[in-house]
C-alpha cells in the first residue's frame, strides 16, 4: 500500500480527489497546504461571513492506494477531464497494511486535564471513577482532548464555570468543551459547527455523558448571548469570526479563545480590541507553543 501526496489548486482539489477515488484509490483527504502559516485561509460558514470560495488556494491531496494503482494514467485522465494543470507530486511512501482502527484507538489514551477532570475514550476503562470523566468517541469530528489547545480551554472552564452560566462552544467538533462545561457545573450549554457530522457526533457524545446540550449548524443557531463563549479554532479563523463571537458575549460575560500560537496572541487580541474595546483580553495560560486568550466584557 502507498500514500501519495499531490499539490492541487482551489479549483481542482476536490474534483481530483473524487476522480482518484473513482479510479481505485482507497481513501482521499484534503488539507490546507498553508496551514499554520501567514498564508493560511480560514473556511467557515457562519451566516454573513461565508467565504467567496469554499476551498483553499493550495491543497494537499493525500490518497492511500494499492501498490498496483496507476497514478500516472489516473492523473492524466483527471487532468484532461477537468482541463486543469497537472498537479505537483509531493511524494510517495510505502505504508504497511494494518488495523487502522486499533492503531487510532491506541493513539487516543485517557487524558487528565486537571485535578478532577479526565477525558476518557469510550473504549478505555475509567482511570479514576471518582473524577469528572468526559466519555468521548471522536467519530469523524475534530477534538479528542489530547491537544494543548483543548487542554487550555478545559482548564479555563474547570476553573471558571459557575452554576448560573450559559456556555456556547463555537466550532464544537465532538462537543467536548460544551459537555465538559456542563459536567463541571454550567446551567446550560450549546455548541455550533459547520459540519453536520460534527453536530451529530457532539449530540451523541452528550447523550453518552448523560448531559443536556444542544448543538446546531450555523443557520439553525437561535439568537441570544451567553455568559461564556469559548472557541478553539485557529488564529486566522478567530480573527475572521471576531464580530460573530463578540456578538454572542453578554455584558459581563467571558470570551475564551484557543488554537492560537504564542507568537500570534497579540494580533488576535488586537483584532478583537479593535471591534470592541470593552472586552479586555489577555493571555490566560500557555502550554507548549499554544496559548489560551481570555477576558470579559466590562
Amino acid at each position: 500500500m502507498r500514500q501519495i501526496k499531490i499539490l492541487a489548486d482551489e479549483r481542482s482539489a476536490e474534483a481530483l480527489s473524487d476522480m482518484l477515488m473513482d479510479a481505485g484509490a482507497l481513501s482521499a483527504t484534503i488539507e490546507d497546504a498553508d496551514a499554520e502559516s501567514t498564508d493560511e485561509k480560514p473556511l467557515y460558514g457562519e451566516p454573513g461571513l461565508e467565504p467567496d470560495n469554499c476551498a483553499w488556494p493550495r491543497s494537499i491531496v493525500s490518497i492511500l492506494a494499492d501498490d498496483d494503482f496507476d497514478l500516472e494514467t489516473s492523473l492524466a485522465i483527471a487532468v484532461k477531464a477537468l482541463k486543469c494543470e497537472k498537479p505537483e507530486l509531493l511524494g510517495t511512501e510505502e505504508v504497511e497494511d494494518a488495523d487502522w482502527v486499533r492503531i487510532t484507538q491506541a493513539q487516543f489514551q485517557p487524558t487528565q486535564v486537571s485535578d478532577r477532570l479526565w477525558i476518557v475514550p469510550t473504549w478505555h476503562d475509567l482511570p479514576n471513577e471518582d473524577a469528572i470523566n468526559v466519555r468521548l468517541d471522536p467519530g469523524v469530528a475534530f477534538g479528542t482532548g489530547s491537544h494543548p489547545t483543548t487542554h487550555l480551554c478545559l482548564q479555563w472552564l474547570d476553573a471558571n464555570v459557575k452554576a448560573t452560566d450559559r456556555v456556547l462552544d463555537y466550532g464544537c467538533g465532538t462537543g467536548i468543551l460544551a459537555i465538559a462545561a456542563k459536567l463541571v457545573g454550567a446551567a446550560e450549554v450549546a455548541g455550533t459547527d459547520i459540519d453536520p457530522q460534527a453536530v451529530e457526533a457532539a449530540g451523541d457524545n452528550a447523550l453518552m455523558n448523560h448531559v443536556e446540550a444542544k448543538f446546531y449548524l450555523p443557520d439553525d443557531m437561535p439568537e441570544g448571548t451567553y455568559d461564556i463563549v469559548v472557541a478553539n479554532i485557529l488564529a486566522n479563523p478567530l480573527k475572521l469570526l471576531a464580530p460573530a463571537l463578540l456578538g454572542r458575549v453578554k455584558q459581563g460575560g467571558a470570551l475564551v479563545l484557543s488554537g492560537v500560537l504564542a507568537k500570534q496572541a497579540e494580533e488576535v487580541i488586537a483584532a478583537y480590541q479593535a471591534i470592541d474595546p470593552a472586552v479586555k483580553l489577555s493571555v490566560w495560560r500557555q502550554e507548549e507553543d499554544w496559548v489560551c486568550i481570555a477576558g470579559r466584557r466590562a
Side-chain angles (χ1 to χ4, degrees), residues 76-224:
I77 293 171
V79 165
K80 183 176 180 180
L82 297 172
K83 297 185 171 72
C84 66
E85 295 291 328
K86 183 178 179 180
E88 178 186 348
L89 178 62
L90 298 178
T92 302
E93 63 177 320
E94 294 296 320
V95 178
E96 291 185 11
D97 196 7
D99 185 340
W100 296 108
V101 172
R102 186 180 297 275
I103 290 173
T104 301
Q105 290 182 347
Q107 293 172 344
F108 179 22
Q109 298 291 323
T111 303
Q112 185 173 13
V113 176
S114 67
D115 289 342
R116 65 172 180 163
L117 183 62
W118 283 77
I119 308 300
V120 186
T122 54
W123 52 87
H124 275 281
D125 294 331
L126 296 177
N128 180 359
E129 293 188 0
D130 296 326
I132 297 174
N133 292 292
V134 180
R135 297 292 261 170
L136 198 66
D137 185 350
V140 296
F142 175 81
T144 63
S146 60
H147 196 272
T149 59
T150 314
H151 291 180
L152 291 166
C153 290
L154 290 168
Q155 289 164 5
W156 192 97
L157 291 168
D158 188 26
N160 291 278
V161 165
K162 300 188 298 295
T164 56
D165 285 339
R166 299 176 68 244
V167 179
L168 174 63
D169 178 2
Y170 210 101
C172 62
T174 57
I176 183 172
L177 300 180
I179 294 167
K182 184 66 175 177
L183 289 174
V184 299
E188 182 182 331
V189 298
T192 180
D193 202 289
I194 59 169
D195 184 352
Q197 292 178 313
V199 171
E200 182 179 354
D204 291 342
N205 284 320
L207 288 173
M208 183 165 44
N209 284 278
H210 308 290
V211 302
E212 184 177 347
K214 296 178 181 178
F215 297 98
Y216 306 93
L217 291 169
D219 287 338
D220 299 330
M221 272 289 292
E223 298 294 326

